Amino acid sequence: MSETLVRISSAGAVRTIRLNRPEALNSFTSQMHADLMAALEDAAADPSVRCVVLGGEGRAFCAGQDLSDPMAAPELSPDKPPKDLGHLINSLYVPLVARVRSMPVPVIAVVHGVAAGAGANLALCCDMVVAGRSGSFIQAFSKIGLVPDTGGTWLLPRLVGHARAMGLAMLGDKLPAEEAERIGLIWKCVDDAELASTVESLAARLAAMPLRALVATRQALAEAQQLDLPAALALEARLQTTLGAAQDYREGVEAFRAKRAPRFTER
Ligand code: T3D
């Protein structure tokens, strides 16, 4: 267990990382970025970790950028140059999204309470999002004069289509978790009382699966969005060549033939 601005715990092959600034709804400071990146790097490098769960302490998942942080708060004096938010995004949020999307194991976001701004899009860039009925998603950016970042412009239309992406991004209204599930923004919404056990069993299930195949599935589904059908078919064939030469494929087929449960070990 560690007590920094993220709280880290392990159960079997599942590593849980919880954002830990509950007094400010887990909004991002540069220190929390650093602690989260270190926790993700550590999970990526640890061969015993086969699934990562990302959540938040307190009553929310994450309220996005900490707007009181001097690094982000607008410069009030007209005599001083404005803050370069692009630099902030490039140095902190872009590497964070890249880290999550390149994890060698599946990443589940568990959302209770609000996920706003970069917090919403951090959740959405995970492989699967499970939310409690208390959960909600807010593209808060437009309300403070910004565009969706942390992958929002890429993720939203892909997840819910152009019309809904525009409505969510332009209005910045709170989308309850139940509605988020209904429109396909997230995988599942459950009662808050069932959230922990639902995520625990989902994480254990993913951790027992052939991880290289799951990670290649993430890659293929993302890349195929930019490809025409022949190119997507070619990508699938290339990935099957790689996966078909791996031990997990042999194990999967042997277990099927022997009518026993498979034991996948690769990462
Ligand atoms: O630098 C840049 O801006 C570029 C980077 C952009 C990335 C982004 O994420 S931009 C979007 C930033 N986030 C927001 O705009 C959301 C701001 N927060 C809210 O709109 C509301 O707090 C929520 C809708 C998320 C929750 O509302 P509610 O009523 O449940 O809670 P609250 O009372 O507003 O917040 C509780 C406390 O958390 C409060 O502090 P206090 O008064 O008890 O001392 C509030 O100030 C603090 N808090 C909430 N969000 C943030 C925050 N403090 C700093 N930054 C926040 N983003």
PDB file of all heavy atoms in Angstrom, residues 21-25 27 59 62-69 71-73 85 88-89 93 114 116-119 138 140-141 144 146 149-150 174, ligand 1:
ATOM      1  N   ARG A  21      -7.215  12.731  -4.099  1.00  0.00           N
ATOM      2  CA  ARG A  21      -7.337  14.133  -3.639  1.00  0.00           C
ATOM      3  C   ARG A  21      -8.830  14.400  -3.419  1.00  0.00           C
ATOM      4  O   ARG A  21      -9.431  15.268  -4.083  1.00  0.00           O
ATOM      5  CB  ARG A  21      -6.815  15.126  -4.685  1.00  0.00           C
ATOM      6  CG  ARG A  21      -5.326  15.076  -4.958  1.00  0.00           C
ATOM      7  CD  ARG A  21      -4.903  16.227  -5.877  1.00  0.00           C
ATOM      8  NE  ARG A  21      -4.964  17.493  -5.202  1.00  0.00           N
ATOM      9  CZ  ARG A  21      -5.653  18.560  -5.656  1.00  0.00           C
ATOM     10  NH1 ARG A  21      -6.334  18.503  -6.793  1.00  0.00           N
ATOM     11  NH2 ARG A  21      -5.660  19.680  -4.979  1.00  0.00           N
ATOM     12  N   PRO A  22      -9.450  13.622  -2.545  1.00  0.00           N
ATOM     13  CA  PRO A  22     -10.924  13.678  -2.447  1.00  0.00           C
ATOM     14  C   PRO A  22     -11.455  15.057  -2.101  1.00  0.00           C
ATOM     15  O   PRO A  22     -12.571  15.403  -2.497  1.00  0.00           O
ATOM     16  CB  PRO A  22     -11.251  12.659  -1.341  1.00  0.00           C
ATOM     17  CG  PRO A  22      -9.976  12.414  -0.603  1.00  0.00           C
ATOM     18  CD  PRO A  22      -8.871  12.660  -1.581  1.00  0.00           C
ATOM     19  N   GLU A  23     -10.661  15.876  -1.377  1.00  0.00           N
ATOM     20  CA  GLU A  23     -11.148  17.210  -0.973  1.00  0.00           C
ATOM     21  C   GLU A  23     -11.358  18.110  -2.188  1.00  0.00           C
ATOM     22  O   GLU A  23     -12.128  19.068  -2.133  1.00  0.00           O
ATOM     23  CB  GLU A  23     -10.179  17.851   0.036  1.00  0.00           C
ATOM     24  CG  GLU A  23      -8.796  18.258  -0.511  1.00  0.00           C
ATOM     25  CD  GLU A  23      -7.836  17.095  -0.765  1.00  0.00           C
ATOM     26  OE1 GLU A  23      -8.198  15.931  -0.466  1.00  0.00           O
ATOM     27  OE2 GLU A  23      -6.722  17.361  -1.283  1.00  0.00           O
ATOM     28  N   ALA A  24     -10.704  17.818  -3.306  1.00  0.00           N
ATOM     29  CA  ALA A  24     -10.901  18.596  -4.545  1.00  0.00           C
ATOM     30  C   ALA A  24     -11.416  17.680  -5.653  1.00  0.00           C
ATOM     31  O   ALA A  24     -11.106  17.858  -6.837  1.00  0.00           O
ATOM     32  CB  ALA A  24      -9.605  19.271  -4.959  1.00  0.00           C
ATOM     33  N   LEU A  25     -12.226  16.701  -5.256  1.00  0.00           N
ATOM     34  CA  LEU A  25     -12.839  15.735  -6.189  1.00  0.00           C
ATOM     35  C   LEU A  25     -11.794  15.120  -7.127  1.00  0.00           C
ATOM     36  O   LEU A  25     -12.055  14.886  -8.303  1.00  0.00           O
ATOM     37  CB  LEU A  25     -13.974  16.398  -7.000  1.00  0.00           C
ATOM     38  CG  LEU A  25     -15.106  17.056  -6.201  1.00  0.00           C
ATOM     39  CD1 LEU A  25     -16.243  17.479  -7.130  1.00  0.00           C
ATOM     40  CD2 LEU A  25     -15.648  16.143  -5.110  1.00  0.00           C
ATOM     41  N   SER A  27      -9.281  16.230  -8.551  1.00  0.00           N
ATOM     42  CA  SER A  27      -8.844  17.001  -9.728  1.00  0.00           C
ATOM     43  C   SER A  27      -7.313  16.945  -9.819  1.00  0.00           C
ATOM     44  O   SER A  27      -6.618  16.791  -8.822  1.00  0.00           O
ATOM     45  CB  SER A  27      -9.374  18.433  -9.670  1.00  0.00           C
ATOM     46  OG  SER A  27      -9.032  19.040  -8.442  1.00  0.00           O
ATOM     47  N   ARG A  59     -15.994  11.076  -2.951  1.00  0.00           N
ATOM     48  CA  ARG A  59     -17.330  10.992  -3.568  1.00  0.00           C
ATOM     49  C   ARG A  59     -17.334  11.153  -5.080  1.00  0.00           C
ATOM     50  O   ARG A  59     -18.386  11.302  -5.690  1.00  0.00           O
ATOM     51  CB  ARG A  59     -18.262  12.018  -2.920  1.00  0.00           C
ATOM     52  CG  ARG A  59     -17.958  13.471  -3.232  1.00  0.00           C
ATOM     53  CD  ARG A  59     -19.059  14.348  -2.646  1.00  0.00           C
ATOM     54  NE  ARG A  59     -18.777  15.765  -2.742  1.00  0.00           N
ATOM     55  CZ  ARG A  59     -19.164  16.531  -3.765  1.00  0.00           C
ATOM     56  NH1 ARG A  59     -19.812  16.011  -4.768  1.00  0.00           N
ATOM     57  NH2 ARG A  59     -18.883  17.822  -3.768  1.00  0.00           N
ATOM     58  N   CYS A  62     -13.167  11.879 -10.725  1.00  0.00           N
ATOM     59  CA  CYS A  62     -12.155  12.915 -10.982  1.00  0.00           C
ATOM     60  C   CYS A  62     -12.826  14.114 -11.655  1.00  0.00           C
ATOM     61  O   CYS A  62     -13.598  13.936 -12.603  1.00  0.00           O
ATOM     62  CB  CYS A  62     -11.068  12.349 -11.907  1.00  0.00           C
ATOM     63  SG  CYS A  62      -9.870  13.569 -12.475  1.00  0.00           S
ATOM     64  N   ALA A  63     -12.517  15.317 -11.164  1.00  0.00           N
ATOM     65  CA  ALA A  63     -13.129  16.543 -11.718  1.00  0.00           C
ATOM     66  C   ALA A  63     -12.231  17.217 -12.738  1.00  0.00           C
ATOM     67  O   ALA A  63     -12.365  18.421 -12.995  1.00  0.00           O
ATOM     68  CB  ALA A  63     -13.490  17.502 -10.592  1.00  0.00           C
ATOM     69  N   GLY A  64     -11.285  16.457 -13.330  1.00  0.00           N
ATOM     70  CA  GLY A  64     -10.449  17.034 -14.396  1.00  0.00           C
ATOM     71  C   GLY A  64      -9.308  17.855 -13.831  1.00  0.00           C
ATOM     72  O   GLY A  64      -8.859  17.647 -12.699  1.00  0.00           O
ATOM     73  N   GLN A  65      -8.836  18.793 -14.627  1.00  0.00           N
ATOM     74  CA  GLN A  65      -7.733  19.654 -14.196  1.00  0.00           C
ATOM     75  C   GLN A  65      -8.122  20.444 -12.942  1.00  0.00           C
ATOM     76  O   GLN A  65      -9.230  20.990 -12.880  1.00  0.00           O
ATOM     77  CB  GLN A  65      -7.378  20.625 -15.331  1.00  0.00           C
ATOM     78  CG  GLN A  65      -6.397  21.701 -14.955  1.00  0.00           C
ATOM     79  CD  GLN A  65      -5.040  21.156 -14.527  1.00  0.00           C
ATOM     80  OE1 GLN A  65      -4.538  20.193 -15.110  1.00  0.00           O
ATOM     81  NE2 GLN A  65      -4.453  21.745 -13.503  1.00  0.00           N
ATOM     82  N   ASP A  66      -7.226  20.520 -11.968  1.00  0.00           N
ATOM     83  CA  ASP A  66      -7.440  21.399 -10.809  1.00  0.00           C
ATOM     84  C   ASP A  66      -7.325  22.843 -11.288  1.00  0.00           C
ATOM     85  O   ASP A  66      -6.242  23.309 -11.661  1.00  0.00           O
ATOM     86  CB  ASP A  66      -6.405  21.113  -9.717  1.00  0.00           C
ATOM     87  CG  ASP A  66      -6.682  21.927  -8.459  1.00  0.00           C
ATOM     88  OD1 ASP A  66      -7.096  23.100  -8.602  1.00  0.00           O
ATOM     89  OD2 ASP A  66      -6.486  21.407  -7.354  1.00  0.00           O
ATOM     90  N   LEU A  67      -8.460  23.531 -11.286  1.00  0.00           N
ATOM     91  CA  LEU A  67      -8.511  24.884 -11.861  1.00  0.00           C
ATOM     92  C   LEU A  67      -7.905  25.927 -10.925  1.00  0.00           C
ATOM     93  O   LEU A  67      -7.761  27.093 -11.305  1.00  0.00           O
ATOM     94  CB  LEU A  67      -9.956  25.242 -12.221  1.00  0.00           C
ATOM     95  CG  LEU A  67     -10.584  24.324 -13.288  1.00  0.00           C
ATOM     96  CD1 LEU A  67     -12.061  24.639 -13.462  1.00  0.00           C
ATOM     97  CD2 LEU A  67      -9.849  24.429 -14.626  1.00  0.00           C
ATOM     98  N   SER A  68      -7.548  25.497  -9.695  1.00  0.00           N
ATOM     99  CA  SER A  68      -6.874  26.427  -8.777  1.00  0.00           C
ATOM    100  C   SER A  68      -5.362  26.278  -8.848  1.00  0.00           C
ATOM    101  O   SER A  68      -4.632  27.071  -8.256  1.00  0.00           O
ATOM    102  CB  SER A  68      -7.297  26.152  -7.330  1.00  0.00           C
ATOM    103  OG  SER A  68      -8.659  26.050  -7.240  1.00  0.00           O
ATOM    104  N   ASP A  69      -4.913  25.250  -9.531  1.00  0.00           N
ATOM    105  CA  ASP A  69      -3.473  25.012  -9.615  1.00  0.00           C
ATOM    106  C   ASP A  69      -2.841  26.170 -10.389  1.00  0.00           C
ATOM    107  O   ASP A  69      -3.285  26.488 -11.501  1.00  0.00           O
ATOM    108  CB  ASP A  69      -3.240  23.681 -10.357  1.00  0.00           C
ATOM    109  CG  ASP A  69      -1.793  23.208 -10.263  1.00  0.00           C
ATOM    110  OD1 ASP A  69      -0.885  24.052 -10.359  1.00  0.00           O
ATOM    111  OD2 ASP A  69      -1.587  21.999 -10.102  1.00  0.00           O
ATOM    112  N   MET A  71      -0.414  26.353 -12.145  1.00  0.00           N
ATOM    113  CA  MET A  71       0.029  25.931 -13.473  1.00  0.00           C
ATOM    114  C   MET A  71      -1.077  26.112 -14.524  1.00  0.00           C
ATOM    115  O   MET A  71      -0.801  26.327 -15.703  1.00  0.00           O
ATOM    116  CB  MET A  71       0.423  24.457 -13.315  1.00  0.00           C
ATOM    117  CG  MET A  71       0.587  23.647 -14.512  1.00  0.00           C
ATOM    118  SD  MET A  71       0.973  21.967 -13.994  1.00  0.00           S
ATOM    119  CE  MET A  71      -0.643  21.305 -13.667  1.00  0.00           C
ATOM    120  N   ALA A  72      -2.352  26.029 -14.085  1.00  0.00           N
ATOM    121  CA  ALA A  72      -3.461  26.053 -15.046  1.00  0.00           C
ATOM    122  C   ALA A  72      -4.341  27.287 -14.918  1.00  0.00           C
ATOM    123  O   ALA A  72      -4.975  27.692 -15.896  1.00  0.00           O
ATOM    124  CB  ALA A  72      -4.319  24.810 -14.848  1.00  0.00           C
ATOM    125  N   ALA A  73      -4.402  27.853 -13.724  1.00  0.00           N
ATOM    126  CA  ALA A  73      -5.326  28.978 -13.523  1.00  0.00           C
ATOM    127  C   ALA A  73      -4.963  30.129 -14.459  1.00  0.00           C
ATOM    128  O   ALA A  73      -3.779  30.441 -14.637  1.00  0.00           O
ATOM    129  CB  ALA A  73      -5.261  29.435 -12.070  1.00  0.00           C
ATOM    130  N   LEU A  85      -1.770  26.645 -22.199  1.00  0.00           N
ATOM    131  CA  LEU A  85      -2.454  25.404 -21.813  1.00  0.00           C
ATOM    132  C   LEU A  85      -2.061  24.245 -22.725  1.00  0.00           C
ATOM    133  O   LEU A  85      -2.062  23.085 -22.312  1.00  0.00           O
ATOM    134  CB  LEU A  85      -3.969  25.601 -21.840  1.00  0.00           C
ATOM    135  CG  LEU A  85      -4.557  26.576 -20.814  1.00  0.00           C
ATOM    136  CD1 LEU A  85      -6.071  26.467 -20.782  1.00  0.00           C
ATOM    137  CD2 LEU A  85      -3.995  26.337 -19.421  1.00  0.00           C
ATOM    138  N   LEU A  88       0.751  22.569 -21.186  1.00  0.00           N
ATOM    139  CA  LEU A  88       0.281  21.740 -20.056  1.00  0.00           C
ATOM    140  C   LEU A  88      -0.300  20.424 -20.568  1.00  0.00           C
ATOM    141  O   LEU A  88       0.012  19.337 -20.064  1.00  0.00           O
ATOM    142  CB  LEU A  88      -0.791  22.524 -19.285  1.00  0.00           C
ATOM    143  CG  LEU A  88      -1.564  21.784 -18.203  1.00  0.00           C
ATOM    144  CD1 LEU A  88      -0.729  21.704 -16.936  1.00  0.00           C
ATOM    145  CD2 LEU A  88      -2.880  22.483 -17.908  1.00  0.00           C
ATOM    146  N   ILE A  89      -1.135  20.517 -21.587  1.00  0.00           N
ATOM    147  CA  ILE A  89      -1.765  19.312 -22.145  1.00  0.00           C
ATOM    148  C   ILE A  89      -0.685  18.386 -22.712  1.00  0.00           C
ATOM    149  O   ILE A  89      -0.693  17.172 -22.448  1.00  0.00           O
ATOM    150  CB  ILE A  89      -2.755  19.712 -23.275  1.00  0.00           C
ATOM    151  CG1 ILE A  89      -3.883  20.588 -22.735  1.00  0.00           C
ATOM    152  CG2 ILE A  89      -3.308  18.482 -23.984  1.00  0.00           C
ATOM    153  CD1 ILE A  89      -4.783  19.952 -21.742  1.00  0.00           C
ATOM    154  N   TYR A  93      -1.242  15.587 -20.005  1.00  0.00           N
ATOM    155  CA  TYR A  93      -2.399  14.763 -20.387  1.00  0.00           C
ATOM    156  C   TYR A  93      -2.108  13.852 -21.577  1.00  0.00           C
ATOM    157  O   TYR A  93      -2.588  12.722 -21.632  1.00  0.00           O
ATOM    158  CB  TYR A  93      -3.619  15.656 -20.660  1.00  0.00           C
ATOM    159  CG  TYR A  93      -4.153  16.272 -19.385  1.00  0.00           C
ATOM    160  CD1 TYR A  93      -3.793  17.552 -18.998  1.00  0.00           C
ATOM    161  CD2 TYR A  93      -4.985  15.542 -18.538  1.00  0.00           C
ATOM    162  CE1 TYR A  93      -4.251  18.107 -17.810  1.00  0.00           C
ATOM    163  CE2 TYR A  93      -5.450  16.089 -17.354  1.00  0.00           C
ATOM    164  CZ  TYR A  93      -5.086  17.366 -16.993  1.00  0.00           C
ATOM    165  OH  TYR A  93      -5.541  17.893 -15.815  1.00  0.00           O
ATOM    166  N   VAL A 114     -18.947  11.969  -9.840  1.00  0.00           N
ATOM    167  CA  VAL A 114     -18.751  12.681 -11.095  1.00  0.00           C
ATOM    168  C   VAL A 114     -17.393  12.392 -11.752  1.00  0.00           C
ATOM    169  O   VAL A 114     -16.387  12.187 -11.066  1.00  0.00           O
ATOM    170  CB  VAL A 114     -18.948  14.199 -10.870  1.00  0.00           C
ATOM    171  CG1 VAL A 114     -17.797  14.812 -10.113  1.00  0.00           C
ATOM    172  CG2 VAL A 114     -19.185  14.936 -12.163  1.00  0.00           C
ATOM    173  N   ALA A 116     -15.523  14.527 -14.605  1.00  0.00           N
ATOM    174  CA  ALA A 116     -15.702  15.762 -15.382  1.00  0.00           C
ATOM    175  C   ALA A 116     -14.431  16.146 -16.114  1.00  0.00           C
ATOM    176  O   ALA A 116     -13.324  15.863 -15.651  1.00  0.00           O
ATOM    177  CB  ALA A 116     -16.126  16.909 -14.458  1.00  0.00           C
ATOM    178  N   GLY A 117     -14.601  16.816 -17.254  1.00  0.00           N
ATOM    179  CA  GLY A 117     -13.454  17.315 -18.013  1.00  0.00           C
ATOM    180  C   GLY A 117     -12.474  16.190 -18.328  1.00  0.00           C
ATOM    181  O   GLY A 117     -12.855  15.106 -18.796  1.00  0.00           O
ATOM    182  N   ALA A 118     -11.195  16.455 -18.046  1.00  0.00           N
ATOM    183  CA  ALA A 118     -10.180  15.442 -18.316  1.00  0.00           C
ATOM    184  C   ALA A 118     -10.442  14.174 -17.513  1.00  0.00           C
ATOM    185  O   ALA A 118     -10.015  13.082 -17.917  1.00  0.00           O
ATOM    186  CB  ALA A 118      -8.800  16.003 -17.976  1.00  0.00           C
ATOM    187  N   GLY A 119     -11.163  14.302 -16.396  1.00  0.00           N
ATOM    188  CA  GLY A 119     -11.507  13.117 -15.593  1.00  0.00           C
ATOM    189  C   GLY A 119     -12.457  12.204 -16.354  1.00  0.00           C
ATOM    190  O   GLY A 119     -12.317  10.969 -16.340  1.00  0.00           O
ATOM    191  N   ILE A 138     -19.267  14.497 -17.430  1.00  0.00           N
ATOM    192  CA  ILE A 138     -19.497  15.886 -17.864  1.00  0.00           C
ATOM    193  C   ILE A 138     -18.336  16.337 -18.737  1.00  0.00           C
ATOM    194  O   ILE A 138     -17.185  16.341 -18.292  1.00  0.00           O
ATOM    195  CB  ILE A 138     -19.589  16.854 -16.654  1.00  0.00           C
ATOM    196  CG1 ILE A 138     -20.581  16.344 -15.604  1.00  0.00           C
ATOM    197  CG2 ILE A 138     -19.985  18.255 -17.123  1.00  0.00           C
ATOM    198  CD1 ILE A 138     -20.655  17.233 -14.353  1.00  0.00           C
ATOM    199  N   ALA A 140     -16.959  19.100 -19.310  1.00  0.00           N
ATOM    200  CA  ALA A 140     -17.060  20.421 -18.678  1.00  0.00           C
ATOM    201  C   ALA A 140     -16.314  21.521 -19.439  1.00  0.00           C
ATOM    202  O   ALA A 140     -16.447  22.700 -19.110  1.00  0.00           O
ATOM    203  CB  ALA A 140     -16.526  20.337 -17.249  1.00  0.00           C
ATOM    204  N   PHE A 141     -15.566  21.138 -20.449  1.00  0.00           N
ATOM    205  CA  PHE A 141     -14.631  22.072 -21.106  1.00  0.00           C
ATOM    206  C   PHE A 141     -15.319  23.319 -21.661  1.00  0.00           C
ATOM    207  O   PHE A 141     -14.827  24.432 -21.509  1.00  0.00           O
ATOM    208  CB  PHE A 141     -13.897  21.359 -22.249  1.00  0.00           C
ATOM    209  CG  PHE A 141     -13.264  20.058 -21.835  1.00  0.00           C
ATOM    210  CD1 PHE A 141     -13.970  18.869 -21.908  1.00  0.00           C
ATOM    211  CD2 PHE A 141     -11.952  20.027 -21.369  1.00  0.00           C
ATOM    212  CE1 PHE A 141     -13.384  17.666 -21.532  1.00  0.00           C
ATOM    213  CE2 PHE A 141     -11.365  18.837 -20.990  1.00  0.00           C
ATOM    214  CZ  PHE A 141     -12.084  17.650 -21.069  1.00  0.00           C
ATOM    215  N   ILE A 144     -15.895  26.419 -19.589  1.00  0.00           N
ATOM    216  CA  ILE A 144     -14.799  27.326 -19.230  1.00  0.00           C
ATOM    217  C   ILE A 144     -14.033  27.774 -20.484  1.00  0.00           C
ATOM    218  O   ILE A 144     -12.884  28.210 -20.396  1.00  0.00           O
ATOM    219  CB  ILE A 144     -13.852  26.688 -18.178  1.00  0.00           C
ATOM    220  CG1 ILE A 144     -13.313  25.332 -18.664  1.00  0.00           C
ATOM    221  CG2 ILE A 144     -14.543  26.548 -16.845  1.00  0.00           C
ATOM    222  CD1 ILE A 144     -12.181  24.792 -17.787  1.00  0.00           C
ATOM    223  N   LEU A 146     -13.073  25.991 -23.280  1.00  0.00           N
ATOM    224  CA  LEU A 146     -12.063  25.101 -23.880  1.00  0.00           C
ATOM    225  C   LEU A 146     -12.732  24.027 -24.722  1.00  0.00           C
ATOM    226  O   LEU A 146     -13.954  23.872 -24.701  1.00  0.00           O
ATOM    227  CB  LEU A 146     -11.236  24.431 -22.763  1.00  0.00           C
ATOM    228  CG  LEU A 146     -10.449  25.356 -21.829  1.00  0.00           C
ATOM    229  CD1 LEU A 146      -9.753  24.553 -20.738  1.00  0.00           C
ATOM    230  CD2 LEU A 146      -9.425  26.186 -22.615  1.00  0.00           C
ATOM    231  N   ASP A 149     -10.441  17.742 -24.201  1.00  0.00           N
ATOM    232  CA  ASP A 149      -9.074  17.239 -24.389  1.00  0.00           C
ATOM    233  C   ASP A 149      -8.969  15.849 -23.758  1.00  0.00           C
ATOM    234  O   ASP A 149      -9.990  15.201 -23.523  1.00  0.00           O
ATOM    235  CB  ASP A 149      -8.028  18.240 -23.851  1.00  0.00           C
ATOM    236  CG  ASP A 149      -8.184  18.519 -22.366  1.00  0.00           C
ATOM    237  OD1 ASP A 149      -8.670  17.635 -21.634  1.00  0.00           O
ATOM    238  OD2 ASP A 149      -7.823  19.637 -21.934  1.00  0.00           O
ATOM    239  N   THR A 150      -7.743  15.400 -23.525  1.00  0.00           N
ATOM    240  CA  THR A 150      -7.524  14.055 -22.968  1.00  0.00           C
ATOM    241  C   THR A 150      -8.198  13.013 -23.868  1.00  0.00           C
ATOM    242  O   THR A 150      -8.761  12.019 -23.408  1.00  0.00           O
ATOM    243  CB  THR A 150      -8.009  13.979 -21.494  1.00  0.00           C
ATOM    244  OG1 THR A 150      -7.580  15.186 -20.835  1.00  0.00           O
ATOM    245  CG2 THR A 150      -7.410  12.809 -20.741  1.00  0.00           C
ATOM    246  N   LYS A 174     -24.446  17.328 -17.485  1.00  0.00           N
ATOM    247  CA  LYS A 174     -24.129  16.107 -16.739  1.00  0.00           C
ATOM    248  C   LYS A 174     -24.898  14.929 -17.350  1.00  0.00           C
ATOM    249  O   LYS A 174     -26.131  14.989 -17.480  1.00  0.00           O
ATOM    250  CB  LYS A 174     -24.548  16.303 -15.277  1.00  0.00           C
ATOM    251  CG  LYS A 174     -24.235  15.113 -14.397  1.00  0.00           C
ATOM    252  CD  LYS A 174     -24.753  15.318 -12.974  1.00  0.00           C
ATOM    253  CE  LYS A 174     -23.769  16.121 -12.149  1.00  0.00           C
ATOM    254  NZ  LYS A 174     -23.931  15.874 -10.690  1.00  0.00           N
TER     255      LYS A 174
HETATM  256  O1  T3D B   1      -5.658  24.091 -17.434  1.00  0.00           O
HETATM  257  C1  T3D B   1      -6.614  23.763 -18.130  1.00  0.00           C
HETATM  258  O2  T3D B   1      -7.756  24.128 -17.852  1.00  0.00           O
HETATM  259  C2  T3D B   1      -6.357  22.817 -19.277  1.00  0.00           C
HETATM  260  C3  T3D B   1      -6.738  21.458 -18.930  1.00  0.00           C
HETATM  261  C4  T3D B   1      -7.992  21.064 -19.118  1.00  0.00           C
HETATM  262  C5  T3D B   1      -8.465  19.756 -18.644  1.00  0.00           C
HETATM  263  C6  T3D B   1      -9.766  19.859 -17.910  1.00  0.00           C
HETATM  264  O3  T3D B   1     -10.085  18.942 -17.198  1.00  0.00           O
HETATM  265  S1  T3D B   1     -10.724  21.263 -18.113  1.00  0.00           S
HETATM  266  C7  T3D B   1     -12.140  20.905 -17.047  1.00  0.00           C
HETATM  267  C8  T3D B   1     -11.830  21.188 -15.602  1.00  0.00           C
HETATM  268  N1  T3D B   1     -12.886  20.741 -14.747  1.00  0.00           N
HETATM  269  C9  T3D B   1     -14.016  21.429 -14.585  1.00  0.00           C
HETATM  270  O4  T3D B   1     -14.268  22.427 -15.204  1.00  0.00           O
HETATM  271  C10 T3D B   1     -14.981  20.891 -13.533  1.00  0.00           C
HETATM  272  C11 T3D B   1     -15.104  21.887 -12.404  1.00  0.00           C
HETATM  273  N2  T3D B   1     -15.922  21.330 -11.338  1.00  0.00           N
HETATM  274  C12 T3D B   1     -17.251  21.326 -11.381  1.00  0.00           C
HETATM  275  O5  T3D B   1     -17.868  21.761 -12.341  1.00  0.00           O
HETATM  276  C13 T3D B   1     -17.969  20.767 -10.191  1.00  0.00           C
HETATM  277  O6  T3D B   1     -17.092  20.786  -9.095  1.00  0.00           O
HETATM  278  C14 T3D B   1     -18.439  19.313 -10.433  1.00  0.00           C
HETATM  279  C15 T3D B   1     -19.632  19.339 -11.413  1.00  0.00           C
HETATM  280  C16 T3D B   1     -17.336  18.425 -10.948  1.00  0.00           C
HETATM  281  C17 T3D B   1     -18.963  18.748  -9.080  1.00  0.00           C
HETATM  282  O7  T3D B   1     -19.898  19.629  -8.520  1.00  0.00           O
HETATM  283  P1  T3D B   1     -20.325  19.422  -6.996  1.00  0.00           P
HETATM  284  O8  T3D B   1     -21.388  20.441  -6.711  1.00  0.00           O
HETATM  285  O9  T3D B   1     -20.653  17.999  -6.761  1.00  0.00           O
HETATM  286  O10 T3D B   1     -19.001  19.720  -6.121  1.00  0.00           O
HETATM  287  P2  T3D B   1     -18.327  21.147  -5.840  1.00  0.00           P
HETATM  288  O11 T3D B   1     -18.888  21.701  -4.580  1.00  0.00           O
HETATM  289  O12 T3D B   1     -18.376  21.998  -7.040  1.00  0.00           O
HETATM  290  O13 T3D B   1     -16.802  20.691  -5.596  1.00  0.00           O
HETATM  291  C18 T3D B   1     -16.373  20.160  -4.351  1.00  0.00           C
HETATM  292  C19 T3D B   1     -15.001  20.747  -4.078  1.00  0.00           C
HETATM  293  O14 T3D B   1     -14.101  20.339  -5.106  1.00  0.00           O
HETATM  294  C20 T3D B   1     -15.023  22.277  -4.109  1.00  0.00           C
HETATM  295  O15 T3D B   1     -14.058  22.727  -3.208  1.00  0.00           O
HETATM  296  P3  T3D B   1     -14.527  23.449  -1.823  1.00  0.00           P
HETATM  297  O16 T3D B   1     -15.381  24.600  -2.210  1.00  0.00           O
HETATM  298  O17 T3D B   1     -15.269  22.376  -1.082  1.00  0.00           O
HETATM  299  O18 T3D B   1     -13.235  23.841  -1.183  1.00  0.00           O
HETATM  300  C21 T3D B   1     -14.569  22.574  -5.522  1.00  0.00           C
HETATM  301  O19 T3D B   1     -13.981  23.838  -5.650  1.00  0.00           O
HETATM  302  C22 T3D B   1     -13.520  21.478  -5.721  1.00  0.00           C
HETATM  303  N3  T3D B   1     -13.345  21.202  -7.159  1.00  0.00           N
HETATM  304  C23 T3D B   1     -14.191  20.571  -7.980  1.00  0.00           C
HETATM  305  N4  T3D B   1     -13.676  20.521  -9.214  1.00  0.00           N
HETATM  306  C24 T3D B   1     -12.491  21.170  -9.158  1.00  0.00           C
HETATM  307  C25 T3D B   1     -12.283  21.603  -7.849  1.00  0.00           C
HETATM  308  N5  T3D B   1     -11.198  22.281  -7.489  1.00  0.00           N
HETATM  309  C26 T3D B   1     -10.298  22.554  -8.460  1.00  0.00           C
HETATM  310  N6  T3D B   1     -10.428  22.147  -9.742  1.00  0.00           N
HETATM  311  C27 T3D B   1     -11.516  21.458 -10.131  1.00  0.00           C
HETATM  312  N7  T3D B   1     -11.622  21.040 -11.409  1.00  0.00           N
END
